Amino acid sequence: MRLLLRTLLLLLAALPLSAQIYPQSGYQPAPIGKDTLCFRYHFKVGDTLFYTVHALDSVKGASKPVLQKDRTERVMLFCDSVDARRGIYRLRQRLLSAKSTETSDTTKTTRTTSPWVGRTATLFIDTLGRRLHATVDDTSRIALNTGGPLQPWLVVDLGQSCGRQNESWLREDSTLIPENGAPEPAYRYQSLFRVLDKTDTLGRSFDQVQYAQSGVGAFDVDVNGMSMHYMGTVNSYGKLTMDRAFRVPYHLFATAEIVYTITVGNGGKEEGKHLILMHYSLDELRSKDPRRRIHLRKS
């Protein structure tokens, strides 16, 4: 399955993005500010970050009623090694808990677990969040996270390190998203970043950057002769708030519109749209270095 997915990734890389990013007609860029903000990641071995995720989903299949989900989750991000010379971090991301209230027509269900709870994704990233390698713990245990294969991810690929207020840049790449499923979904994307401004709250200082992103992604499963192919076109927006002192994600607000097609081996096909609105909020940073410790909420 890993070979199949990597082949799919190469095929996606050869395709143009179906939703390129262009300024609207008559758009006038805002004036460039005087201050320079930087967005490099910095982790130390043993850093453990805990995030609360609150997400709202709306899923509408062509022949099905709208499914709405209100999710509250807890995610752990752990740095287990650092190559300081090359500026590479090995991170492990794990879903610790998941609770979802799901409503469809007159039916309302509360789920307190998920097959994705306890699964671990390993990410090798550089200081800008570029993924050098990404894998999931066990590709033979097929599962998806609660937000689907193309849910916005936490450690954003920034593309550039520094810029002044209102300065913008483009970033384009292809990658795997192991924190979203096993086997790992493949994704090709283009992001337009824009530097926002500095902000101070709760006694800490932060830098902020926003992005608009478009892309195409896929998730393929083939088990015992049964196959399923998921293809999605993504348009998303994100606003990242980064702790200026520690250089870790403090908060990420992200939205996504995913137009998808699911094809199964018997020829069946379903088309639909998945809307996601989510917040990743840092609760705690545990570190061997007492100067890096943050505790905002009860663990």
Side-chain angles (χ1 to χ4, degrees):
M1 282 185 287
R2 180 178 296 275
L3 178 59
L4 174 65
L5 197 59
R6 293 190 183 280
T7 302
L8 175 62
L9 182 60
L10 293 174
L11 292 174
L12 284 173
L15 295 174
L17 295 184
S18 58
Q20 298 288 334
I21 298 172
Y22 296 107
Q24 293 183 352
S25 177
Y27 169 78
Q28 294 294 325
I32 301 298
K34 61 182 177 63
D35 298 325
T36 298
L37 284 67
C38 293
F39 300 95
R40 300 181 185 90
Y41 293 106
H42 178 71
F43 297 95
K44 291 191 173 184
V45 175
D47 279 359
T48 309
L49 298 91
F50 295 91
Y51 292 87
T52 292
V53 181
H54 185 208
L56 301 174
D57 301 78
S58 177
V59 184
K60 178 64 173 76
S63 58
K64 296 180 180 179
V66 176
L67 173 64
Q68 296 180 326
K69 298 195 292 183
D70 187 337
R71 297 184 279 130
T72 301
E73 301 168 0
R74 189 162 172 80
V75 170
M76 181 186 74
L77 191 65
F78 175 71
C79 178
D80 62 8
S81 68
V82 175
D83 185 334
R85 183 178 61 86
R86 296 191 296 164
I88 296 174
Y89 306 106
R90 174 173 165 169
L91 306 177
R92 297 185 185 273
Q93 182 171 324
R94 181 179 302 158
L95 180 63
L96 300 179
S97 65
K99 180 179 180 181
S100 176
T101 300
E102 303 178 3
T103 305
S104 178
D105 287 345
T106 58
T107 302
K108 186 174 183 179
T109 304
T110 298
R111 304 182 188 276
T112 57
T113 188
S114 163
W116 199 248
V117 171
R119 300 299 296 269
T120 301
T122 301
L123 312 173
F124 290 82
I125 67 165
D126 63 14
T127 58
L128 297 181
R130 181 170 64 98
R131 298 185 174 203
L132 309 176
H133 181 64
T135 185
V136 72
D137 51 12
D138 184 356
T139 56
S140 67
R141 292 195 298 139
I142 297 170
L144 281 173
N145 80 357
T146 51
L150 300 178
Q151 172 178 278
W153 65 77
L154 171 61
V155 184
V156 176
D157 179 353
L158 297 167
Q160 181 172 315
S161 58
C162 297
R164 292 156 62 188
Q165 292 100 328
N166 298 315
E167 186 175 345
S168 59
W169 62 82
L170 283 170
R171 168 66 176 159
E172 184 175 350
D173 202 2
S174 301
T175 191
L176 300 176
I177 319 176
E179 60 268 53
N180 282 357
E184 306 94 330
Y187 189 45
R188 175 166 168 77
Y189 59 95
Q190 183 183 74
S191 300
L192 173 62
F193 285 90
R194 183 183 179 191
V195 178
L196 297 178
D197 207 343
K198 298 175 289 187
T199 186
D200 298 288
T201 185
L202 299 175
R204 304 201 63 81
S205 297
F206 306 96
D207 294 326
Q208 295 181 309
V209 65
Q210 68 180 11
Y211 63 87
Q213 185 180 97
S214 61
V216 290
F219 175 74
D220 264 21
V221 174
D222 188 355
V223 180
N224 298 327
M226 299 294 294
S227 63
M228 188 275 288
H229 174 71
Y230 175 106
M231 175 71 76
T233 301
V234 183
N235 285 288
S236 65
Y237 166 84
K239 179 180 177 182
L240 174 65
T241 301
M242 181 172 286
D243 186 283
R244 191 181 306 160
F246 297 156
R247 295 298 169 193
V248 297
Y250 180 84
H251 181 265
L252 175 66
F253 168 73
T255 66
E257 178 190 68
I258 305 165
V259 179
Y260 65 85
T261 300
I262 299 174
T263 307
V264 295
N266 60 9
K269 179 180 290 188
E270 177 182 324
E271 297 179 343
K273 181 182 290 187
H274 184 181
L275 305 178
I276 306 175
L277 182 152
M278 61 191 312
H279 293 267
Y280 291 90
S281 301
L282 179 65
D283 292 336
E284 184 179 4
L285 167 56
R286 300 176 185 173
S287 178
K288 297 177 181 178
D289 182 351
R291 296 169 297 179
R292 286 180 59 81
R293 294 172 186 167
I294 303 176
H295 194 140
L296 300 173
R297 300 174 182 85
K298 184 177 180 181
S299 299

